[in-house]
Amino acid sequence: MTGPRPTSRRTIVAIALNTFREAVRDRILYLMLAFALVMILASRFLSMLTIGSEVKIVKDVGLSAISIFGVLTAIFVGVSLVFKEIEKRTIYTLLAQPVRRWEFIVGKYTGLSLVLSMNVAAMSAALLALVAAYGESPAPLLPAVVLILVELLVVTAFAILFSASTNPILAALGTVVVYVVGHLIWSFELLKSRLPEGPGRTVCDVLYWLLPNLDRLDVKARAVHGVAIDSGYLAAGMLYGVGYAAAVLVVACVVFERREFS
């Protein structure tokens, strides 16, 4: 006779913690984190070889390293999370227990988000300490770091969505395409203005509103040059990113719920 079914929260937390433990044991994760930290520290020496404000170069390289290596972590770890369970057939054992499919997806996403948060915190601490060593306040960089993390939450949601529906290679490709297009979303408005009236403009409108506008979460240039980032803009960006990630995660749950395992 089986006991009462655990609550969804307990199930999600258990899956998230297990995912977190698996991810932090992944050597690729540590290699990328180490390389990112080296890049941030190396920006100190790079700034000596270039013309311009040394601290601005350190900020620029540091924020770019946090963003790029965060995205790589989301892609390389995220696209294999669900597929790995299917390939090893551990998914059958999990789903044979009182675990709903949506709880499995949300738990995986939460675990990877914890890993990304930890990595971003470590990389940001190194960058902020380096900026402080120059005698500047690192506080203006914090909004950029927060929005980088929000952007990573969106990318991670897509990685989980594609991982729940296809193999890692196609999932990685799809996630990269979404990331690149998300930063070029402005080009659809430009393309629309150059097209004649017709279905082409409609397609541009649909893609513009359907795909994530990651460009609105990119304030690295403003942070580097000390341009103040309005608290309202920061709050709106966080709300947009978290809301979009949640919507993609809902789609991932629906897709995984309908997927059949042979």
Side-chain angles (χ1 to χ4, degrees):
M1 184 175 180
T2 59
R5 186 190 182 282
T7 62
S8 294
R9 180 181 299 178
R10 287 175 55 191
T11 302
I12 291 171
V13 169
I15 295 173
L17 292 177
N18 184 63
T19 302
F20 179 84
R21 286 191 292 265
E22 288 182 358
V24 296
R25 289 197 296 263
D26 197 324
R27 293 181 181 179
I28 295 179
L29 180 67
Y30 287 106
L31 285 174
M32 287 192 292
L33 178 58
F35 195 65
L37 292 174
V38 168
M39 283 288 293
I40 292 172
L41 296 175
S43 64
R44 168 72 176 83
F45 301 98
L46 180 64
S47 65
M48 299 177 181
L49 304 175
T50 54
I51 300 175
S53 173
E54 291 185 9
V55 69
K56 286 184 179 179
I57 295 171
V58 169
K59 292 177 184 178
D60 191 17
V61 174
L63 289 175
S64 297
I66 294 172
S67 178
I68 292 171
F69 288 100
V71 169
L72 290 177
T73 300
I75 293 174
F76 281 108
V77 179
V79 298
S80 62
L81 279 181
V82 178
F83 182 82
K84 185 166 55 177
E85 300 286 357
I86 298 173
E87 188 179 39
K88 293 181 178 179
R89 297 189 175 276
T90 53
I91 187 69
Y92 299 102
T93 304
L94 282 170
L95 297 181
Q97 300 175 21
V99 176
R100 297 189 181 99
R101 293 194 180 195
W102 72 266
E103 293 171 340
F104 175 78
I105 292 295
V106 174
K108 287 291 185 181
Y109 175 80
T110 304
L112 182 52
S113 297
L114 289 174
V115 173
L116 287 170
S117 299
M118 179 188 70
N119 281 8
V120 169
M123 291 185 287
S124 299
L127 175 60
L128 298 181
L130 192 57
V131 171
Y134 276 90
E136 282 201 17
S137 171
L141 297 180
L142 292 177
V145 171
V146 170
L147 290 182
I148 286 174
L149 179 58
V150 172
E151 178 186 60
L152 295 179
L153 294 179
V154 176
V155 174
T156 301
F158 275 102
I160 295 293
L161 168 61
F162 293 133
S163 178
S165 56
T166 187
N167 62 68
I169 296 177
L170 292 178
L173 181 61
T175 308
V176 169
V177 169
V178 168
Y179 175 75
V180 173
V181 173
H183 279 282
L184 297 175
I185 201 74
W186 53 267
S187 63
F188 288 111
E189 284 288 285
L190 179 62
L191 179 61
K192 176 185 173 182
S193 66
R194 298 184 176 182
L195 289 175
E197 292 290 343
R201 286 195 168 196
T202 303
V203 171
C204 288
D205 282 333
V206 170
L207 292 176
Y208 181 82
W209 292 108
L210 184 62
L211 294 172
N213 188 350
L214 300 181
D215 201 42
R216 72 182 298 176
L217 303 177
D218 185 4
V219 295
K220 293 190 289 294
R222 294 166 61 181
V224 167
H225 291 90
V227 178
I229 298 170
D230 182 73
S231 59
Y233 184 91
L234 176 62
M238 293 173 63
L239 184 62
Y240 171 79
V242 172
Y244 198 102
V248 175
L249 200 60
V250 169
V251 176
C253 291
V254 172
V255 168
F256 193 65
E257 189 71 36
R258 297 180 177 180
R259 180 168 180 176
E260 295 183 1
F261 304 110
S262 55

